[in-house]
Amino acid sequence: MRISITALILALLAGCAQNPVTGKSDLVMMSESQEIAEGRQADVQIKQQYKVYESKALQDYVNRVGQRIAKQSHRPGLQYHFTVLDSPEINAFALPGGYVYITRGILAYLNSEAELAAVLGHEIGHVTARHGVRQQAAAQATNLALQIASLYVKGLNTAVGQNVANLFGGALLSGYGRDHELEADRLGAQYLTRTEYDPQAIIKVIGVLKNQELKDAELAKQEGREPRRYHGLFASHPDNDTRLQQAVGEASKNGSAHAHAEGREDFLKATDGLVYGDNSDQGIVRNNRFYHADLGIALNFPETWQVHNLPDSLVAVSPRGEAMMQMKMDQKPQGTPSEYAHRMVGYGAQTRSLDLAGLPAATFELPNVMGGVIYHDKKAYIVQAQAKERGGLSAHRDTIFGTVRSFHALTADERKLVKPLGIRIITARPGDTYAGLAQGSPLGKSAESYLRLMNAQYPDGEPRPGQAIKIVE
Ligand SMILES: [Zn+2]
């Protein structure tokens, strides 16, 4: 009650601000400078949670394309920041104030500069139409949990009990609902037209991402995990989506008669060598097994859990999201593993000392917290499981202790696996097929589908001789 009154007072005090796109007044409780300040603050958090991808050439390239589109937007005076994040997730998002992010994970599925421009144009559309700010205003006014607020949660330690899969699996920035997403597509198409990229690239990109989503949903079902989703996607395939076709069609009507720039060659050149999947300095997850070469450790998570390897923590979420495990590290542990566990979770916990092939360890158990402490190379590794609701861990008890017991020093064979995969551009030779290229691919049993998806030739296309295509090695 008190909060809604506060929101009302705020609304009255702040009055209305003009929307840069519509020119109409919005009930927005935020000035532009406030908006920029919020964006800047959240930008620091984003760069802590995700890491910035280390390639100046690629960052410069994405920035060049982004700035070109931003200049043609409804807010050309705003200072825009484009950042490629070192994340395998398929995502792109924008913060209020002109901060736009694109993951290297999504770049792997794009095939031209026009498609990159389409993704950036869509995000710029969210910024110019102030969707983030408007959503925040709406949430404040109705006293709902702020979706954007999840960005301000510092680290994951405080996010315990929340569904981390939802926070970080793409739903974190799960978009703004159908109308705002369509508006972003329409605005993106306008900006692309003015920059002389083909606005149809928007529909093409959504198609590529939709195919990826459909395939991932199929795999997720087999693997019993949550599918990964890109925030701008809706139920129908873009080929049958009349509202989307209309939005893009209208926006591109006033386009110039210039030839449309596709920039396929430039884009492929810029992304040749791009890291695919996990990067090695954050440890590598393969088939839900975690390997860290620098630390010399490995751990197996249950096959059906979704593992998120984030720069500041390693988190696994149960298939239905009701329980999660987190691994943390302590550089200077004191006492034995069970003493450590007692100090950490309380003396009421049941502990049991273990010897994991020479590594001193202990499990601990309370009704709603369980896990283990393992010592390796003078460091302590803590695997801690928690559930959303009381009693939510009991069904996962064996799984959790199984994960603790799987902890081991990295073997020589495992060390060879820890190399990150990368995208390489090759020229298709006569007779090359995706089935052939998939043989021996590190992408595993779905390699053929993944190669087709990455090259926008899903479900049944084949490379043409002489065509530049992406493979992963
Ligand atoms: Zn969007």
Tab-separated table of all heavy atoms in Angstrom, residues 323-356:
chain	number	residue	atom	x	y	z
A	323	ALA	N	15.378	-25.803	-7.769
A	323	ALA	CA	16.601	-25.924	-6.962
A	323	ALA	C	17.804	-25.487	-7.776
A	323	ALA	O	17.784	-25.542	-9.008
A	323	ALA	CB	16.785	-27.374	-6.507
A	324	MET	N	18.819	-25.015	-7.099
A	324	MET	CA	20.043	-24.632	-7.806
A	324	MET	C	21.269	-24.998	-6.987
A	324	MET	O	21.202	-25.120	-5.766
A	324	MET	CB	20.043	-23.142	-8.092
A	324	MET	CG	19.975	-22.283	-6.836
A	324	MET	SD	20.378	-20.557	-7.160
A	324	MET	CE	22.140	-20.591	-6.987
A	325	MET	N	22.357	-25.205	-7.700
A	325	MET	CA	23.645	-25.445	-7.056
A	325	MET	C	24.588	-24.358	-7.531
A	325	MET	O	24.539	-23.942	-8.683
A	325	MET	CB	24.237	-26.773	-7.529
A	325	MET	CG	23.857	-27.959	-6.712
A	325	MET	SD	24.818	-29.377	-7.266
A	325	MET	CE	23.630	-30.193	-8.314
A	326	GLN	N	25.450	-23.962	-6.637
A	326	GLN	CA	26.405	-22.932	-6.975
A	326	GLN	C	27.776	-23.371	-6.501
A	326	GLN	O	27.891	-23.931	-5.417
A	326	GLN	CB	25.976	-21.664	-6.256
A	326	GLN	CG	26.671	-20.447	-6.759
A	326	GLN	CD	26.202	-19.183	-6.069
A	326	GLN	OE1	26.679	-18.132	-6.382
A	326	GLN	NE2	25.290	-19.267	-5.122
A	327	MET	N	28.807	-23.144	-7.300
A	327	MET	CA	30.147	-23.437	-6.807
A	327	MET	C	30.897	-22.131	-6.592
A	327	MET	O	30.915	-21.254	-7.448
A	327	MET	CB	30.944	-24.319	-7.750
A	327	MET	CG	32.279	-24.701	-7.106
A	327	MET	SD	33.103	-26.083	-7.895
A	327	MET	CE	33.854	-25.257	-9.277
A	328	LYS	N	31.493	-22.032	-5.414
A	328	LYS	CA	32.284	-20.857	-5.078
A	328	LYS	C	33.680	-21.306	-4.678
A	328	LYS	O	33.902	-22.483	-4.404
A	328	LYS	CB	31.627	-20.106	-3.908
A	328	LYS	CG	30.300	-19.480	-4.281
A	328	LYS	CD	29.688	-18.714	-3.136
A	328	LYS	CE	28.974	-19.648	-2.166
A	328	LYS	NZ	28.123	-18.916	-1.207
A	329	MET	N	34.598	-20.364	-4.612
A	329	MET	CA	35.964	-20.708	-4.243
A	329	MET	C	36.418	-19.798	-3.125
A	329	MET	O	36.091	-18.619	-3.100
A	329	MET	CB	36.862	-20.523	-5.457
A	329	MET	CG	38.302	-20.936	-5.229
A	329	MET	SD	39.295	-20.642	-6.712
A	329	MET	CE	39.529	-18.883	-6.602
A	330	ASP	N	37.154	-20.376	-2.182
A	330	ASP	CA	37.754	-19.580	-1.105
A	330	ASP	C	39.267	-19.771	-1.212
A	330	ASP	O	39.760	-20.885	-1.155
A	330	ASP	CB	37.218	-20.064	0.256
A	330	ASP	CG	37.708	-19.183	1.396
A	330	ASP	OD1	38.691	-18.437	1.201
A	330	ASP	OD2	37.108	-19.253	2.490
A	331	GLN	N	39.990	-18.657	-1.388
A	331	GLN	CA	41.451	-18.734	-1.593
A	331	GLN	C	42.191	-19.151	-0.333
A	331	GLN	O	43.254	-19.726	-0.407
A	331	GLN	CB	41.986	-17.350	-2.021
A	331	GLN	CG	41.306	-16.770	-3.223
A	331	GLN	CD	42.079	-17.010	-4.494
A	331	GLN	OE1	42.874	-17.948	-4.574
A	331	GLN	NE2	41.843	-16.183	-5.495
A	332	LYS	N	41.645	-18.795	0.834
A	332	LYS	CA	42.372	-19.052	2.083
A	332	LYS	C	41.479	-19.710	3.120
A	332	LYS	O	41.086	-19.090	4.110
A	332	LYS	CB	42.909	-17.724	2.644
A	332	LYS	CG	44.107	-17.209	1.871
A	332	LYS	CD	44.659	-15.947	2.500
A	332	LYS	CE	45.777	-15.386	1.632
A	332	LYS	NZ	45.831	-13.940	1.637
A	333	PRO	N	41.147	-20.961	2.897
A	333	PRO	CA	40.263	-21.619	3.855
A	333	PRO	C	40.995	-21.962	5.153
A	333	PRO	O	42.208	-22.153	5.141
A	333	PRO	CB	39.860	-22.897	3.125
A	333	PRO	CG	40.990	-23.183	2.206
A	333	PRO	CD	41.566	-21.863	1.811
A	334	GLN	N	40.251	-22.012	6.252
A	334	GLN	CA	40.847	-22.373	7.529
A	334	GLN	C	40.133	-23.578	8.114
A	334	GLN	O	38.936	-23.738	7.927
A	334	GLN	CB	40.759	-21.189	8.489
A	334	GLN	CG	41.718	-20.095	8.049
A	334	GLN	CD	41.778	-18.936	9.009
A	334	GLN	OE1	41.015	-18.871	9.965
A	334	GLN	NE2	42.698	-18.024	8.757
A	335	GLY	N	40.912	-24.417	8.821
A	335	GLY	CA	40.349	-25.593	9.474
A	335	GLY	C	40.142	-26.722	8.479
A	335	GLY	O	40.487	-26.610	7.298
A	336	THR	N	39.553	-27.809	8.962
A	336	THR	CA	39.279	-28.946	8.085
A	336	THR	C	38.035	-28.632	7.260
A	336	THR	O	37.284	-27.701	7.588
A	336	THR	CB	38.981	-30.198	8.928
A	336	THR	OG1	37.772	-29.943	9.677
A	336	THR	CG2	40.113	-30.515	9.907
A	337	PRO	N	37.784	-29.409	6.205
A	337	PRO	CA	36.567	-29.170	5.426
A	337	PRO	C	35.291	-29.190	6.275
A	337	PRO	O	34.398	-28.362	6.072
A	337	PRO	CB	36.582	-30.289	4.397
A	337	PRO	CG	38.032	-30.583	4.191
A	337	PRO	CD	38.669	-30.398	5.536
A	338	SER	N	35.190	-30.114	7.244
A	338	SER	CA	33.934	-30.087	8.031
A	338	SER	C	33.864	-28.894	8.968
A	338	SER	O	32.782	-28.350	9.170
A	338	SER	CB	33.617	-31.363	8.799
A	338	SER	OG	34.628	-32.170	9.004
A	339	GLU	N	35.007	-28.487	9.513
A	339	GLU	CA	34.985	-27.255	10.326
A	339	GLU	C	34.551	-26.060	9.469
A	339	GLU	O	33.770	-25.214	9.891
A	339	GLU	CB	36.380	-26.988	10.936
A	339	GLU	CG	36.708	-27.873	12.131
A	339	GLU	CD	38.206	-27.901	12.462
A	339	GLU	OE1	38.996	-27.157	11.837
A	339	GLU	OE2	38.573	-28.693	13.346
A	340	TYR	N	35.105	-26.066	8.274
A	340	TYR	CA	34.766	-24.985	7.340
A	340	TYR	C	33.254	-24.959	7.079
A	340	TYR	O	32.607	-23.914	7.126
A	340	TYR	CB	35.526	-25.182	6.032
A	340	TYR	CG	35.429	-24.010	5.097
A	340	TYR	CD1	36.425	-23.045	5.059
A	340	TYR	CD2	34.329	-23.849	4.252
A	340	TYR	CE1	36.339	-21.950	4.215
A	340	TYR	CE2	34.229	-22.766	3.400
A	340	TYR	CZ	35.233	-21.823	3.386
A	340	TYR	OH	35.136	-20.737	2.560
A	341	ALA	N	32.706	-26.146	6.822
A	341	ALA	CA	31.266	-26.251	6.528
A	341	ALA	C	30.433	-25.789	7.717
A	341	ALA	O	29.458	-25.043	7.554
A	341	ALA	CB	30.914	-27.686	6.156
A	342	HIS	N	30.835	-26.193	8.908
A	342	HIS	CA	30.081	-25.782	10.104
A	342	HIS	C	30.101	-24.273	10.285
A	342	HIS	O	29.077	-23.664	10.569
A	342	HIS	CB	30.662	-26.478	11.364
A	342	HIS	CG	30.087	-27.836	11.578
A	342	HIS	ND1	30.862	-28.928	11.922
A	342	HIS	CD2	28.822	-28.294	11.473
A	342	HIS	CE1	30.078	-29.991	12.032
A	342	HIS	NE2	28.837	-29.635	11.751
A	343	ARG	N	31.274	-23.695	10.107
A	343	ARG	CA	31.359	-22.240	10.249
A	343	ARG	C	30.468	-21.549	9.219
A	343	ARG	O	29.867	-20.515	9.471
A	343	ARG	CB	32.803	-21.764	10.072
A	343	ARG	CG	33.580	-21.599	11.381
A	343	ARG	CD	34.773	-20.657	11.224
A	343	ARG	NE	35.526	-20.868	9.996
A	343	ARG	CZ	36.462	-21.816	9.852
A	343	ARG	NH1	36.777	-22.594	10.854
A	343	ARG	NH2	37.077	-21.954	8.711
A	344	MET	N	30.409	-22.158	8.033
A	344	MET	CA	29.680	-21.510	6.939
A	344	MET	C	28.152	-21.627	7.091
A	344	MET	O	27.438	-20.643	6.953
A	344	MET	CB	30.127	-22.125	5.608
A	344	MET	CG	29.521	-21.501	4.377
A	344	MET	SD	30.169	-22.268	2.871
A	344	MET	CE	29.509	-23.924	3.018
A	345	VAL	N	27.673	-22.837	7.350
A	345	VAL	CA	26.210	-23.013	7.357
A	345	VAL	C	25.642	-23.192	8.766
A	345	VAL	O	24.433	-23.286	8.927
A	345	VAL	CB	25.753	-24.203	6.458
A	345	VAL	CG1	26.048	-23.898	5.011
A	345	VAL	CG2	26.375	-25.514	6.880
A	346	GLY	N	26.499	-23.243	9.776
A	346	GLY	CA	25.994	-23.353	11.153
A	346	GLY	C	26.335	-24.697	11.766
A	346	GLY	O	26.511	-25.695	11.052
A	347	TYR	N	26.414	-24.714	13.091
A	347	TYR	CA	26.859	-25.926	13.777
A	347	TYR	C	25.757	-26.971	13.876
A	347	TYR	O	25.998	-28.113	14.244
A	347	TYR	CB	27.473	-25.561	15.146
A	347	TYR	CG	28.820	-24.892	14.927
A	347	TYR	CD1	28.903	-23.512	14.716
A	347	TYR	CD2	29.987	-25.654	14.833
A	347	TYR	CE1	30.119	-22.905	14.441
A	347	TYR	CE2	31.206	-25.044	14.569
A	347	TYR	CZ	31.265	-23.675	14.378
A	347	TYR	OH	32.461	-23.088	14.092
A	348	GLY	N	24.556	-26.600	13.493
A	348	GLY	CA	23.466	-27.569	13.492
A	348	GLY	C	23.500	-28.512	12.300
A	348	GLY	O	22.762	-29.495	12.249
A	349	ALA	N	24.352	-28.208	11.336
A	349	ALA	CA	24.382	-29.018	10.117
A	349	ALA	C	25.048	-30.368	10.373
A	349	ALA	O	25.966	-30.476	11.170
A	349	ALA	CB	25.141	-28.268	9.025
A	350	GLN	N	24.533	-31.381	9.686
A	350	GLN	CA	25.202	-32.693	9.714
A	350	GLN	C	26.329	-32.662	8.708
A	350	GLN	O	26.118	-32.293	7.553
A	350	GLN	CB	24.214	-33.756	9.248
A	350	GLN	CG	23.372	-34.324	10.362
A	350	GLN	CD	22.578	-35.507	9.837
A	350	GLN	OE1	23.068	-36.272	9.009
A	350	GLN	NE2	21.348	-35.632	10.320
A	351	THR	N	27.517	-33.075	9.128
A	351	THR	CA	28.609	-33.122	8.156
A	351	THR	C	29.210	-34.519	8.142
A	351	THR	O	29.068	-35.274	9.092
A	351	THR	CB	29.731	-32.123	8.494
A	351	THR	OG1	30.302	-32.484	9.750
A	351	THR	CG2	29.224	-30.695	8.568
A	352	ARG	N	29.839	-34.821	7.024
A	352	ARG	CA	30.513	-36.114	6.894
A	352	ARG	C	31.817	-35.887	6.137
A	352	ARG	O	31.810	-35.302	5.057
A	352	ARG	CB	29.615	-37.082	6.132
A	352	ARG	CG	30.280	-38.427	5.868
A	352	ARG	CD	29.331	-39.385	5.200
A	352	ARG	NE	28.183	-39.672	6.063
A	352	ARG	CZ	27.217	-40.534	5.731
A	352	ARG	NH1	27.251	-41.150	4.577
A	352	ARG	NH2	26.211	-40.755	6.547
A	353	SER	N	32.930	-36.330	6.734
A	353	SER	CA	34.226	-36.143	6.073
A	353	SER	C	34.410	-37.177	4.971
A	353	SER	O	33.980	-38.313	5.095
A	353	SER	CB	35.357	-36.277	7.090
A	353	SER	OG	35.256	-35.230	8.023
A	354	LEU	N	35.031	-36.736	3.891
A	354	LEU	CA	35.251	-37.623	2.740
A	354	LEU	C	36.692	-37.493	2.271
A	354	LEU	O	37.346	-36.488	2.527
A	354	LEU	CB	34.375	-37.198	1.550
A	354	LEU	CG	32.868	-37.192	1.629
A	354	LEU	CD1	32.327	-36.562	0.359
A	354	LEU	CD2	32.349	-38.602	1.777
A	355	ASP	N	37.138	-38.495	1.574
A	355	ASP	CA	38.432	-38.413	0.899
A	355	ASP	C	38.151	-38.655	-0.573
A	355	ASP	O	37.763	-39.757	-0.963
A	355	ASP	CB	39.364	-39.486	1.473
A	355	ASP	CG	40.731	-39.434	0.796
A	355	ASP	OD1	40.781	-39.493	-0.456
A	355	ASP	OD2	41.736	-39.329	1.519
A	356	LEU	N	38.269	-37.602	-1.388
A	356	LEU	CA	37.964	-37.751	-2.816
A	356	LEU	C	39.272	-37.962	-3.574
A	356	LEU	O	39.898	-37.005	-4.014
A	356	LEU	CB	37.221	-36.514	-3.336
A	356	LEU	CG	35.855	-36.221	-2.709
A	356	LEU	CD1	35.280	-34.925	-3.267
A	356	LEU	CD2	34.881	-37.368	-2.918
